[in-house]
Amino acid sequence: MMRVRAVLYRYPAISPAIVLVISVIIFGVINPRFLAPNNLSLITQQVAVIGTLGVAETLVILTAGIDLSVGAAMVLSSVVIGNAAAGMGLPGVVALLLGLLTGLATGIINGLLVTRLNLPPFIVTLGTLSIFTALTLLLSNGATVQGDKLPDIVTWTGTTFHLGVDITFGVLLMLLLYVVISFVLARTAWGRHVYAVGDDKEAARLTGIRVNRVLLSVYVVAGAVVALAAWIQIGRDFGSSPNAAVDANLNAITAVVIGGTSLFGGRGNVWGTLLGALIVGVFRNGLALAGLDVLYQTLAVGILVIVAVSIDQWIRKVR
């Protein structure tokens, strides 16, 4: 068991990978429609938004923080894009740039409050969750912008192409993001500093790492990722709505935790988060096809979170 625990500590994505494979097999046996190409395509499209938000959440959690506002920031960015393109008549590229600036602004606000005022990330993002939600409702007046009123480039992420199954360009953008962030975390000094800060801030500071600068940069990068998630969300829903993805915050955190990233920081990777997002998508879809009520789907996800955190606590004892 000590050897197993050591392996799981070194490769945290192993556990979610095993769970995902077993889940796919079980749901495929229960209902053959689960493995149908159309259903697999639906799962990937559902996972695209949460998987992208999961990258932002992973970066923050790797530093031993947490961001409760990623979903609200994403919806705010999507509303800015929709209103800029449809309400103000701006070109699609300009609207997307405004959405990116909005995402960056949310990250900067969170980062400055955490690093300059030394406030706990949980409290900061709990507060900005309400702020971003209120700003979204104020900007949109509670109205949804339909996709037919938006330029094609704004809804481009929802366009599908056939590759065995129907895949959207939003899914491709998500996968490209994973490749880039994975490389940055594994192969750059910045990535090593992120892990060092999450593992032990004081030790990182004593080695010469500018902890606050690293933390601020993490929240800024997370803000940019949130803006990308907003673009994917608009394509997925074919429009921007202030009421979209109401549970995105918790789903993103769930994907990160199930994916093996430690809530205590310093351990995990984005590929585990992708596996966690897929597990959530597979469970919800598989249980729905099995005819279970949505309450049982939520119950299953809750149990997965508790089990994942329990396993993480057990694995950390290897230290």
Side-chain angles (χ1 to χ4, degrees):
M1 293 303 295
M2 287 295 294
R3 292 180 180 177
V4 171
R5 190 161 60 185
V7 171
L8 293 178
Y9 182 85
R10 187 174 181 182
Y11 304 104
I14 291 179
S15 297
I18 294 174
V19 172
L20 179 61
V21 171
I22 294 175
S23 302
V24 170
I25 293 174
I26 291 176
F27 286 124
V29 171
I30 293 176
N31 193 327
R33 287 189 301 163
F34 177 82
L35 296 176
N38 288 340
N39 190 61
L40 295 177
S41 173
L42 178 62
I43 292 175
T44 60
Q45 293 175 43
Q46 292 172 338
V47 166
V49 175
I50 298 303
T52 304
L53 282 181
V55 173
E57 195 67 60
T58 301
L59 292 173
V60 176
I61 290 180
L62 282 175
T63 63
I66 195 167
D67 191 344
L68 302 177
S69 67
V70 287
M74 178 193 72
V75 177
L76 175 59
S77 296
S78 69
V79 165
V80 169
I81 294 171
N83 284 2
M88 302 173 63
L90 296 176
V93 174
V94 176
L96 290 174
L97 287 175
L98 289 176
L100 174 60
L101 291 176
T102 302
L104 290 173
T106 62
I108 291 173
I109 291 171
N110 286 335
L112 289 177
L113 290 174
V114 169
T115 58
R116 301 306 182 207
L117 298 182
N118 294 319
L119 298 175
F122 179 88
I123 298 301
V124 168
T125 56
L126 181 62
T128 55
L129 164 63
S130 298
I131 294 172
F132 299 155
T133 301
L135 289 175
T136 299
L137 295 174
L138 287 173
L139 288 175
S140 65
N141 290 321
T144 298
V145 177
Q146 299 297 331
D148 54 7
K149 298 180 181 178
L150 298 172
D152 290 341
I153 190 173
V154 175
T155 59
W156 171 77
T157 55
T159 305
T160 61
F161 64 96
H162 192 73
L163 191 65
V165 297
D166 289 335
I167 303 294
T168 65
F169 286 103
V171 174
L172 284 186
L173 283 178
M174 178 196 70
L175 293 176
L176 178 61
L177 174 67
Y178 271 87
V179 172
V180 172
I181 297 298
S182 176
F183 175 83
V184 170
L185 287 175
R187 301 295 182 181
T188 68
W190 183 81
R192 290 192 293 271
H193 291 172
V194 170
Y195 281 102
V197 169
D199 193 49
D200 191 327
K201 290 182 181 180
E202 184 60 22
R205 185 186 66 80
L206 293 175
T207 60
I209 297 175
R210 296 185 176 182
V211 173
N212 282 345
R213 180 175 294 183
V214 172
L215 287 175
L216 179 58
S217 67
V218 164
Y219 282 97
V220 172
V221 173
V225 173
V226 162
L228 177 62
W231 189 15
I232 297 174
Q233 176 73 38
I234 292 175
R236 172 82 176 88
D237 294 345
F238 197 61
S240 65
S241 170
N243 300 313
V246 292
D247 55 354
N249 297 318
L250 294 180
N251 282 341
I253 296 173
T254 299
V256 176
V257 173
I258 293 177
T261 298
S262 175
L263 285 171
F264 303 96
R267 188 178 65 85
N269 58 69
V270 290
W271 293 114
T273 298
L274 179 58
L275 292 172
L278 286 170
I279 289 172
V280 173
V282 164
F283 262 76
R284 289 190 179 278
N285 183 274
L287 292 175
L289 288 178
L292 292 180
D293 190 89
V294 66
L295 293 177
Y296 292 101
Q297 300 174 31
T298 305
L299 173 65
V301 172
I303 293 174
L304 281 174
V305 172
I306 294 174
V307 171
V309 174
S310 300
I311 293 175
D312 176 60
Q313 289 281 60
W314 177 70
I315 292 174
R316 285 179 64 85
K317 293 180 181 178
V318 75
R319 304 182 64 185

